[in-house]
Amino acid sequence: MTVVGSHSFTNPVIAGMHPDPSVCRVGDDYYLACSSFEYFPGVPIFHSRDLVNWEQIGNALDRPGQLALPPSTRSSGGVYAPTLRHHDGRFWLITTNVAPGGGAMIVTSVDIAGPWSDPIRVPGVGIDPDLVWDDQGNCWCTYAGISQIRIDPVTGRVLTRPRKLWSGTPGAQAPEAPHLYRIGEYWYLMIAEGGTERAHAVSIARGPAPDGPFEPCPANPILSHRGRDHPIQNTGHADLVRAPDDSWWMVLLGVRPGGGTPGWHVLGRETFLAPVTWHDGWPVVGAVEPVMTASWPSGPPVPVDGRDDFDEPALHPRWVSPRSRPDSCWSTTDRPGWLTLHARDRSLDDPSVTFVGRRQQHPSCRVRTLVDSSSGRGGLAVRLDESHHYELQTGDGGVRVTARLGSVRHTMPAWPVPDGPVRLRIDVRAAAPGDGHPCQEPDVLRLGVEAEDGHFEVLTELDGRYLSTEVAGGFTGRVIGMFASEGTVRFDWFDYEPA
Ligand code: 6LW
């Protein structure tokens, strides 16, 4: 790859709820996988040619036989951190489904776009499993703790007893997210520690063999934004990749808190990119800033693909549903060019509501859809989990807003709308200092109806802090989408626009 001079790029490189990134390179192509929790399909897969511009090309777990998320799966349960690697001409992905009946599993494929194999169960492995092969072809599986076993990745058979490898930095909590690399004369064991909130950090150790013994880096943690004054917080859970020009890069998770102290983040933990250099055989991580300078050619930006007309039989891989999306509850062929949703559970308070959404990826954005609710009730919703969501529902000749905030569920009086399909709209406006209020909330959500001429009738304005991870807890971020709570509801198109 020839360097054509530096250019700037913005972090995060994959915005919205895309945490626990794992990256690998095959030739000039980079591939990345993230956690997906209670959402189906699971483990989004991205492709890039420059580590900056990423396009989602699928999901590794896109069949119910690969990913069982029963209604008892709690919010932020389900699929935790994956590791994505390429070995012997195949892609290998290992992850852990923490839902009841789940566990660690490997899926493999010759083609990154799938179809991926049925799950290969790996018993006795915790969260954040990693895979690496040594020169003798042994496959080492290292996981949170930090513990390690050798396995047969083709069968999932465990070949050795678990061994404790490293507990991380003395006094730091939760050693997790291990990744092992053979770089030069050493094996490097990189971990996250401190917990995935404001104390999150990345540390590293090295040793002569994949099973150690490991000596910690004297400069640990090699990355942390501990404190409260950096615009990017909770940095941790990283993976390393070497570019074709032998430069090194780190992908990692972080959050962008909005509003005042402690700062509320609403987009979940996102994927960021940082440069890495090597000194005395140890990696040094460059600054992780909102605007970065890179000294390698950047490919064409991947445009925000905001309009879905549902003209294709299949849904774009960005669309996710809580726990399951059986064919019986959705169709794009019932009424060609429309997405038809058939209600199952009653509302977004229920674990298996019929909801099809995409991750919110911008602090300010506008979402619109044209809804035909002549045969049911449904509409637009901004979801964090079953106990934290805002709904804009149409049906029975009216539009009504419901806010669910923990134990409080409040539905406002319906506003009458004319017969026929209704344009529902939600404007999300990130609060900015000097914005006329003390900027104690990350954003304001304005929910309403849009007339044919574009006039936006705002029905209500709601505070966004209550749909933040700091309020709701857990590991996810907002997902905005379409739902059916009764009968059948049809959507002609869905627009997502950064504002
Ligand atoms: C993941 C752990 C973490 O398994 O959060 O931020 C957990 N790090 O490594 C869920 O994302």
Side-chain angles (χ1 to χ4, degrees), residues 19-20 35 37 80-81 127-128 176-177 192 196 200 236-237 253 269 475:
D20 309 322
S35 301
F37 304 105
Y80 279 26
I127 61 169
D128 301 359
E176 56 192 3
T196 191
H200 210 195
H237 201 115
L253 75 76
R269 294 163 304 153
F475 294 123

Side-chain angles (χ1 to χ4, degrees), residues 124-307:
V125 167
I127 61 169
D128 301 359
D130 173 72
L131 292 180
V132 71
W133 286 261
D134 63 22
D135 293 344
Q136 290 68 48
N138 297 310
C139 180
W140 300 83
C141 177
T142 310
Y143 51 94
I146 302 297
S147 298
Q148 185 185 74
I149 54 176
R150 268 200 308 113
I151 66 168
D152 174 348
V154 176
T155 63
R157 194 159 65 90
V158 176
L159 305 176
T160 59
R161 296 174 60 80
R163 273 188 69 236
K164 194 87 169 176
L165 277 194
W166 187 28
S167 299
T169 305
Q173 306 297 316
E176 56 192 3
H179 289 306
L180 255 178
Y181 312 89
R182 174 67 186 278
I183 304 171
E185 64 180 296
Y186 291 110
W187 285 83
Y188 288 85
L189 172 58
M190 184 168 76
I191 69 171
E193 56 187 0
T196 191
E197 286 75 30
R198 298 291 190 264
H200 210 195
V202 178
S203 292
I204 198 163
R206 70 187 183 193
D211 55 350
F214 292 101
E215 58 159 326
C217 174
N220 280 337
I222 58 171
L223 171 68
S224 175
H225 282 189
R226 287 172 180 158
R228 293 192 183 286
D229 54 2
H230 197 286
I232 300 168
Q233 292 282 341
N234 299 21
T235 51
H237 201 115
D239 202 3
L240 294 174
V241 67
R242 185 199 321 237
D245 67 356
D246 277 343
S247 61
W248 281 85
W249 299 89
M250 175 186 276
V251 293
L252 61 127
L253 75 76
V255 302
R256 294 183 281 171
T261 304
W264 323 90
H265 76 277
V266 300
L267 301 182
R269 294 163 304 153
E270 307 174 277
T271 287
F272 293 78
L273 179 69
V276 174
T277 52
W278 292 84
H279 301 276
D280 300 332
W282 291 111
V284 175
V285 184
V288 181
E289 299 297 343
V291 179
M292 302 279 286
T293 300
S295 59
W296 81 95
S298 168
V302 176
V304 175
D305 181 2
R307 161 69 75 131

Side-chain angles (χ1 to χ4, degrees), residues 368-456:
R368 301 181 305 150
T369 185
L370 182 63
V371 191
D372 172 0
S373 53
S374 54
S375 309
R377 278 181 177 215
L380 266 185
V382 183
R383 178 187 192 273
L384 206 75
D385 59 27
E386 281 75 33
S387 303
H388 302 85
H389 47 82
Y390 294 154
E391 302 170 21
L392 187 59
Q393 178 175 275
T394 177
D396 302 338
V399 174
R400 55 171 53 83
V401 171
T402 295
R404 172 69 196 271
L405 304 172
S407 57
V408 174
R409 177 182 173 88
H410 177 63
T411 297
M412 296 161 209
W415 285 268
V417 286
D419 290 341
V422 179
R423 285 166 179 249
L424 301 179
R425 174 171 152 183
I426 299 176
D427 282 9
V428 182
R429 185 168 53 83
D435 204 7
H437 38 86
C439 191
Q440 283 306 308
E441 70 284 319
D443 54 10
V444 173
L445 289 86
R446 307 168 79 211
L447 299 89
V449 175
E450 185 180 85
E452 288 269 354
D453 64 3
H455 171 69
F456 183 26

